[in-house]
Amino acid sequence: MDANALTPVHLDMVMDGLAMNPALPPSMIRRLFAWRRGRGKVARRPDLTEAMVAEIIAIDDHWLVHSLALNDRLPDRFRIRLAAHRDSAVRSALVIHAANAPREMMEQLIDDPESQVREHLAQGHHTPSALRVRLAVGSDPRVRAALAKDWTQVPEAARRILLADPEAEVRAAACSTYFAHRPHPIPPSDLLPAPLSEFCDWGGSGDSRRSRRRHFPTARWRSGQRRTR
C-alpha cells in the first residue's frame, strides 16, 4: 500500500472482525496485540491461552486490558490479579462480567477505594448477598443508594438499614417506585410512617409534590395491592 494513501474509514471495523475470527492463527492473534487504533477487541477472544493473557497484561495497554477484564473465559487467577490493577475502569469491567468470577475476586473489590467499582458491585446480580449487605453500611451514600435501588430482594435487616439511612438520597432510593428490577418491594409496616411523611407529603407545595411523587409506593398501595386512579 502507498505510504501516502489515506487509511480506509472502515479499517477499525475490519480489524475488529479479524480480531474475533475463530480461524485466526495464534501468530496473527499476537500481532493484533500491537494494534492501537481499536479498543482491544482481540483480548475478548474465548480461545486465548494463558500465555497470551499474561502477554496482554504485560503490554498493559488500557483497551487491551479493559477488554481482557470483560472476557467471560478469563481464568480465575488472572481475574484476581486484575482486581489489583491500578486502573479503576479495569476493576469495574471485572465486576460487569462476573457471572463466573471467583469469590476471592469479589472480596478483594468490595473494599475498593473507587466508589465506581463498589457501585457496580452493588448493582451486580452476581455479587454474593453477604458481600452486598456489607455495602449497605459502607461510607459512600451513592453506593448505598445504588444498592437500595437495584437490589429489590435485599434481606429485611439490610433494607431497614437503608430505609433509615442518614442520607435522604439513600432513603429515597430504598422506597422508590422506580426500582431497577421487579418485584418492587414494600417496606416493613412499622417503618411506613417516617418515609411516608418524608416522600409522600401530598399537602406540600407544587414543586415538593412533583419531586416526591416518584418515590415510595405505599401512597398508592394498600395491603400490598396497587390502588387504581
Side-chain angles (χ1 to χ4, degrees), residues 64-83:
L64 272 177
V65 179
H66 186 271
S67 291
L68 185 66
L70 292 170
N71 193 323
D72 292 328
R73 303 292 184 86
L74 188 63
D76 287 353
R77 70 185 187 93
F78 290 109
R79 290 179 189 266
I80 294 168
R81 181 175 171 183
L82 289 180

Side-chain angles (χ1 to χ4, degrees), residues 103-227:
R103 186 183 178 93
E104 183 179 348
M105 184 200 84
M106 297 290 201
E107 290 176 341
Q108 191 171 339
L109 293 173
I110 203 72
D111 296 316
D112 195 278
E114 289 291 333
S115 61
Q116 179 188 39
V117 178
R118 288 178 278 117
E119 194 170 346
H120 281 303
L121 281 168
Q123 296 167 335
H125 299 301
H126 306 296
T127 305
S129 294
L131 296 181
R132 275 179 123 176
V133 166
R134 284 172 54 183
L135 294 173
V137 294
S139 61
D140 193 325
R142 190 175 69 176
V143 175
R144 300 197 303 272
L147 182 72
K149 188 173 182 179
D150 281 80
W151 195 13
T152 58
Q153 299 302 302
V154 58
E156 183 174 339
R159 180 165 297 284
R160 286 175 175 274
I161 292 172
L162 295 168
L163 285 166
D165 195 277
E167 296 290 337
E169 173 190 5
V170 180
R171 297 194 300 274
C175 59
S176 170
T177 59
Y178 293 99
F179 287 97
H181 309 286
R182 293 180 182 273
H184 293 181
I186 298 176
S189 58
D190 61 305
L191 291 182
L192 291 182
L196 184 62
S197 173
E198 183 175 11
F199 298 112
C200 297
D201 181 7
W202 302 103
S205 66
D207 289 342
S208 175
R209 288 197 299 271
R210 281 191 291 273
S211 65
R212 294 170 179 176
R213 186 184 181 95
R214 69 178 182 273
H215 298 301
F216 200 59
T218 53
R220 300 188 299 278
W221 288 72
R222 294 295 183 270
S223 302
Q225 300 296 320
R226 185 181 294 276
R227 191 176 72 184

Side-chain angles (χ1 to χ4, degrees), residues 91-102:
R91 303 195 303 274
S92 293
L94 287 171
V95 178
I96 293 171
H97 279 221
N100 302 312

